[in-house]
């Protein structure tokens, strides 16, 4: 084999290896969480159906709640604003007992024990389960928490709030949907001061 041919093979091989290294470096620098790759469920879109095994007993299926207003809250025990809004969510849940309103909490990132401790600490009584594998979070485009979706009686996402939600906003949204009133103000929004991306938890 001639020296020229050897040099050519060495150059081509080196370029190939450099290309692979560069591609790997690009991939690592552009990683995002699995939920970051999904589309964000927006207001006026059909709410993705899901089945969630509940902490304790039973399961929750969204499609079985037709005719009811459904509040879906994504949370984790390590999320400070989730802790701040927990009692407001429970208060709202208690206020709508006897109404066609259902609350469901979808925990992400926790195992059952810290999730149960959180629920016990804040006296949360509405159904909650762990989104094992992140399928529900992916379908709803959850890239951080807390996030609250309010689904109308026809199964459409009617309201969406990213970050800590206050009880006045939540109850106003629920009342509008129960009475069929035209929304007064925004139907989605973000509280950037009380929102954690999944990478920050």
């Amino acid at each position: 084999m001639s020296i020229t041919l050897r040099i050519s093979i060495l150059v081509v091989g080196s370029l190939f290896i450099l290309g692979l290294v560069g591609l790997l470096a690009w991939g690592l620098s552009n990683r995002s969480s699995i939920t970051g790759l999904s589309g964000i469920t927006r207001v006026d879109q059909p709410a993705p159906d899901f089945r969630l095994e509940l902490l304790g007993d039973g399961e929750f299926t969204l499609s079985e709640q037709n005719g009811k207003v459904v509040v879906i809250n994504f949370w984790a025990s390590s999320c400070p604003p989730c802790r701040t809004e927990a009692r407001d969510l429970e208060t709202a849940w208690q206020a709508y007992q006897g109404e066609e309103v259902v609350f469901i909490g979808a925990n992400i990132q926790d195992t059952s024990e810290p999730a149960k401790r959180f629920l016990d600490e804040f006296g949360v009584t509405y159904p909650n389960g762990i989104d094992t594998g992140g399928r529900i979070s992916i379908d709803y485009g959850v890239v951080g928490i807390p996030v609250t979706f309010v689904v109308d009686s026809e199964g459409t996402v009617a309201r969406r709030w990213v970050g800590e939600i206050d009880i006045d906003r939540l109850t106003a949204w629920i009342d509008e949907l129960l009475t069929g009133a035209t929304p007064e103000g925004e139907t989605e929004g973000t509280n950037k001061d009380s929102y954690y991306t999944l990478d920050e938890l």
Side-chain angles (χ1 to χ4, degrees):
M1 183 182 297
S2 69
I3 293 179
T4 302
L5 183 56
R6 288 179 183 174
I7 292 174
S8 297
I9 292 172
L10 183 60
V11 169
V12 170
S14 298
L15 289 174
F16 179 74
I17 292 171
L18 284 173
L20 286 178
V21 171
L23 185 61
L24 177 61
W26 178 86
L28 290 173
S29 66
N30 286 277
R31 285 185 307 173
S32 58
S33 63
I34 188 166
T35 54
L37 302 176
S38 61
I40 296 177
T41 299
R42 293 288 189 184
V43 168
D44 296 328
Q45 293 182 356
D49 193 19
F50 63 86
R51 182 175 64 84
L52 183 65
E53 288 190 23
L54 300 178
L55 289 162
D57 293 314
E59 62 181 34
F60 177 96
T61 302
L62 181 62
S63 57
E64 294 178 356
Q65 312 306 317
N66 284 343
K68 300 176 181 178
V69 173
V70 182
V71 177
I72 307 169
N73 178 255
F74 290 88
W75 63 278
S77 63
S78 59
C79 158
C82 297
R83 301 178 68 82
T84 305
E85 72 176 6
R87 287 195 173 90
D88 276 355
L89 289 167
E90 175 64 19
T91 298
W93 159 247
Q94 292 293 339
Y96 289 98
Q97 297 297 297
E99 303 278 354
E100 292 294 297
V101 179
V102 176
F103 279 53
I104 180 70
N107 176 280
I108 59 178
Q109 296 192 334
D110 280 322
T111 58
S112 61
E113 287 310 310
K116 288 177 181 177
R117 284 197 299 270
F118 178 98
L119 298 176
D120 289 343
E121 179 180 352
F122 294 101
V124 175
T125 61
Y126 58 85
N128 273 266
I130 295 176
D131 182 19
T132 305
R135 183 72 259 169
I136 304 170
S137 302
I138 291 170
D139 288 344
Y140 279 78
V142 175
V143 295
I145 48 177
V147 180
T148 302
F149 295 85
V150 185
V151 179
D152 68 19
S153 59
E154 297 179 352
T156 300
V157 174
R159 308 287 188 272
R160 174 179 179 271
W161 190 259
V162 177
E164 180 185 334
I165 190 166
D166 65 81
I167 192 170
D168 291 337
R169 181 186 306 279
L170 180 58
T171 55
W173 281 354
I174 294 172
D175 290 343
E176 288 171 351
L177 293 174
L178 286 175
T179 62
T182 302
E184 293 185 5
E186 56 196 351
T187 56
E188 62 181 326
T190 304
N191 183 347
K192 294 181 180 179
D193 294 330
S194 62
Y195 173 76
Y196 283 71
T197 65
L198 300 184
D199 293 338
E200 292 176 317
L201 294 173

